[in-house]
Amino acid sequence: MSSEALGQDEAIRFEGVCKRYRLGRGGAWAGDLRDEAGGLLGRLLRRNPAPPTVDALAGVSFSVRCGENVALVGANGAGKSTALKLVARITVPTSGTVWVRGRVASLIQIGAGFHRELTGRENVFLYGAILGLTRGAIRDRIDAIVEFAGLERFMDTPVKRYSRGMFLRLGFSVAVHVDADVLLIDEVLAAGDREFRERCFDRMRTLVQSDKTLLFVSHQRELVEKTCDRALLLADGRVTADGSVADIWRTYAAS
Amino acid sequence: MNDVRRIGPGRGSVIASLRELWGGRGLLRAIAGREFRVRYTQSILGVAWALAHPLVLMGVFTVVFGKIVHVGSEGQPYPLFSYAGLLPWTFLATGTTLAMRSLVAHVDLVTKVYFPRELLPLASLAASLVDFLIALGVFLLVFLAYGRVPGASWLWLAPLIMVQAVLAVGIALFTAALNVRFRDVKHVMPLMLQAWLYMSPVIYPMASVPDRLRGVFALNPMAGLVDGYRAVLLHGHAPDAALLLTSAAVSLLTLILGWAYFHRVEAYFADVI
């Protein structure tokens, strides 16, 4: 694929990215047949104006260098998660372009794809595959994953018997062992007890110091300050400030 | 250093999508394995449930159409006759029904992680294919119990299974994608399948279809498949070439159209589901 649009040391670039959602039951695209038929009829009779829309992202441009750790900061609905979803290719922009270099792992929802009826071990393989690891790669890492989660005794138990904390610990352990160039993280460290959070912190620091690129959405100031070297402030789908974490947090707190 | 990816409005190229689908085969295996295991955990009979569908229908059909209504069965014992027809039918009906629900059933995956979306319906079909192979094994046992021995014509099973898989994938991709947008599909589909069962020569032999309807009937891809299974398994000869080729052509067309629709709309699944 061509790489002329992305500089040698660039990992992510947003170019005038807009993401528009249609409001109401239909989402971005359509509803059920009844909505569709009704809408069509309305348009034919020129009764219904175009459905109301909201721009989750309204012309966002920024660039992230390889190995940089960037926090997205802003109020709920500012467009942080939408930005992550675009990088993760979960959805596509309405206009504009997102460029991404290398493999992306989206840790947007820890344990997405875990199945309650399957054992911890089976779920490690499944979730690992979902995050893009091959079977062999998971087999190589399973001991490390289990040890990190501290769930050696429970690996052959169905995860429906797990507590919520255990569930998240297992999910996070798999997630931090993925092999990707760009990691997307959305408020995941809120889980687990103090001791496990400390371990996650350490792991995050290792990831931060590596050449991996991090795009991080969090409302936890302490965590953001420890892991990120730059922050973007988003408000109403626009980037309103770009700078050091401390500066951005001050601006955010003042707004 | 690495591949650069451009994420813009609209859909990607067909070649890129196919390449990515191929890259996702490990994940396909993981999801299909999960589907298969999950379906039968906590059920006492486990995998035996894979057989319940064709066996129960075979029993009912044998009583109703073999003993009461006396439908012809090409000179074969009616249980064998109906079971041979139910083999491809059960795979198609249960496989596509599960696949149709697969995207909506995995909202958490579709809205939180990227992977080739085709993998979910394909995994449902793969799990159903395992059910089908178990059902085929049971057919062999029943066949042997009737004092019969499989012959070389059974080798035709390979192309028959391929045609039925192509057809099922086409229907699965189309209905799964459509169900994301219109939940009406999950109500319509059982009805359509019911009608399709009666329009296919599962209960009755192809020979009892009047000549003037045969041409139209042949366009139903299940006609060639069901008739083919019977020719191969029961009569020991190759499938009717014209019938099977028509089946294969219609199935291929279904696959192309089904995937084309899926490809056209998949970028918006996460927004709409």
Side-chain angles (χ1 to χ4, degrees):
Chain A
M1 250 168 272
S2 94
S3 60
E4 56 207 328
L6 211 53
Q8 267 307 310
D9 61 340
E10 268 185 308
I12 302 170
R13 186 154 87 211
F14 276 56
E15 284 175 357
V17 173
C18 294
K19 179 67 187 179
R20 174 166 297 172
Y21 286 101
R22 226 161 82 180
L23 291 176
R25 286 190 52 203
W29 188 28
D32 57 19
L33 266 175
R34 202 180 29 194
D35 279 8
E36 190 82 337
L40 199 64
L41 200 67
R43 272 199 294 283
L44 283 175
L45 298 173
R46 299 187 183 285
R47 289 245 178 88
N48 291 8
T53 58
V54 61
D55 289 340
L57 293 177
V60 167
S61 300
F62 64 88
S63 161
V64 176
R65 283 193 327 283
C66 290
E68 214 175 3
N69 307 303
V70 177
L72 300 180
V73 180
N76 285 329
K80 309 183 296 292
S81 297
T82 304
L84 289 198
K85 282 187 174 184
L86 288 171
V87 178
R89 301 173 65 202
I90 292 164
T91 185
V92 296
T94 311
S95 65
T97 309
V98 180
W99 300 89
V100 184
R101 184 192 299 279
R103 281 177 29 130
V104 177
S106 50
L107 317 184
I108 293 181
Q109 181 164 315
I110 289 304
F114 268 25
H115 199 289
R116 290 165 37 80
E117 301 286 348
L118 298 183
T119 66
R121 189 176 309 280
E122 288 170 325
N123 269 309
V124 167
F125 277 91
L126 182 66
Y127 188 45
I130 288 168
L131 293 178
L133 287 173
T134 63
R135 222 179 147 69
I138 303 167
R139 218 174 285 129
D140 292 343
R141 285 159 219 226
I142 183 123
D143 291 335
I145 292 171
V146 172
E147 199 198 316
F148 188 84
L151 294 172
E152 289 89 343
R153 287 167 49 223
F154 305 100
M155 289 312 285
D156 295 310
T157 307
V159 297
K160 65 179 172 184
R161 312 248 183 266
Y162 282 25
S163 69
R164 184 166 164 73
M166 289 160 73
F167 184 95
L168 288 165
R169 263 155 58 186
L170 188 62
F172 191 81
S173 301
V174 180
V176 295
H177 286 87
V178 299
D179 190 17
D181 306 300
V182 176
L183 285 171
L184 310 173
I185 305 181
D186 193 348
E187 278 303 1
V188 287
L189 292 184
D193 54 21
R194 232 182 72 100
E195 192 258 321
F196 184 71
R197 266 210 307 274
E198 286 298 316
R199 219 175 322 157
C200 290
F201 258 25
D202 287 345
R203 181 76 195 180
M204 289 285 288
R205 263 194 288 272
T206 327
L207 291 176
V208 165
Q209 284 151 13
S210 70
D211 55 357
K212 292 183 196 308
T213 308
L214 250 68
L215 208 52
F216 192 14
V217 168
S218 178
H219 293 283
Q220 293 169 271
R221 179 174 186 170
E222 185 197 8
L223 187 61
V224 170
E225 280 182 337
K226 274 189 181 160
T227 49
C228 297
D229 21 58
R230 181 181 155 205
L232 298 173
L233 180 60
L234 272 80
D236 298 325
R238 289 189 174 78
V239 177
T240 53
D242 181 347
S244 74
V245 174
D247 287 348
I248 293 298
W249 213 276
R250 221 171 298 130
T251 319
Y252 176 46
S255 65
Chain B
M1 94 205 197
N2 278 305
D3 269 1
V4 170
R5 189 176 294 285
R6 176 183 187 278
I7 303 160
R11 54 187 183 268
S13 82
V14 168
I15 303 287
S17 301
L18 286 176
R19 195 178 300 141
E20 221 168 317
L21 199 53
W22 177 246
R25 60 196 187 282
L27 180 55
L28 176 68
R29 207 172 59 166
I31 300 177
R34 171 180 92 157
E35 286 248 341
F36 191 76
R37 252 170 306 181
V38 164
R39 202 159 350 141
Y40 302 119
T41 50
Q42 282 212 341
S43 64
I44 297 165
L45 293 178
V47 176
W49 280 113
L51 302 169
H53 192 107
L55 283 176
V56 168
L57 283 184
M58 178 188 81
V60 172
F61 289 176
T62 300
V63 171
V64 176
F65 301 105
K67 306 279 180 219
I68 302 176
V69 187
H70 295 294
V71 172
S73 59
E74 301 170 353
Q76 299 288 329
Y78 196 86
L80 283 184
F81 170 82
S82 61
Y83 196 101
L86 282 165
L87 278 172
W89 176 259
T90 307
F91 167 73
L92 184 94
T94 56
T96 55
T97 301
L98 288 168
M100 175 266 293
R101 298 198 201 111
S102 61
L103 289 169
V104 172
H106 293 93
V107 176
D108 55 339
L109 281 185
V110 173
T111 57
K112 305 293 180 198
V113 194
Y114 176 79
F115 54 90
R117 304 307 190 195
E118 290 92 339
L119 292 183
L120 286 174
L122 286 179
S124 299
L125 287 181
S128 296
L129 192 63
V130 178
D131 287 348
F132 166 83
L133 292 175
I134 296 169
L136 187 62
V138 170
F139 178 84
L140 176 62
L141 295 180
V142 178
F143 196 68
L144 292 171
Y146 269 93
R148 311 267 296 265
V149 183
S153 64
W154 281 47
L155 292 175
W156 277 98
L157 282 174
L160 286 173
I161 291 172
M162 256 162 64
V163 173
Q164 86 184 29
V166 166
L167 176 65
V169 170
I171 297 171
L173 290 177
F174 178 68
T175 53
L178 203 63
N179 192 41
V180 169
R181 190 172 181 185
F182 307 115
R183 296 295 146 81
D184 312 71
V185 174
K186 69 169 183 279
H187 304 294
V188 175
M189 192 151 167
L191 194 64
M192 301 280 282
L193 284 170
Q194 193 88 32
W196 196 1
L197 170 63
Y198 291 113
M199 300 303 287
S200 306
V202 175
I203 292 163
Y204 47 88
M206 193 63 188
S208 48
V209 177
D211 277 346
R212 61 195 162 82
L213 288 180
R214 245 185 101 88
V216 184
F217 244 74
L219 288 178
N220 169 4
M222 283 313 282
L225 278 170
V226 169
D227 194 65
Y229 268 87
R230 288 199 181 119
V232 163
L233 295 177
L234 302 175
H235 302 297
H237 59 71
D240 181 313
L243 215 48
L244 184 60
L245 283 176
T246 315
S247 231
V250 175
S251 299
L252 195 61
L253 188 68
T254 310
L255 174 65
I256 292 168
L257 293 177
W259 191 64
Y261 178 72
F262 194 97
H263 186 63
R264 205 168 76 85
V265 298
E266 68 177 329
Y268 299 97
F269 283 165
D271 299 338
V272 178
I273 201 163

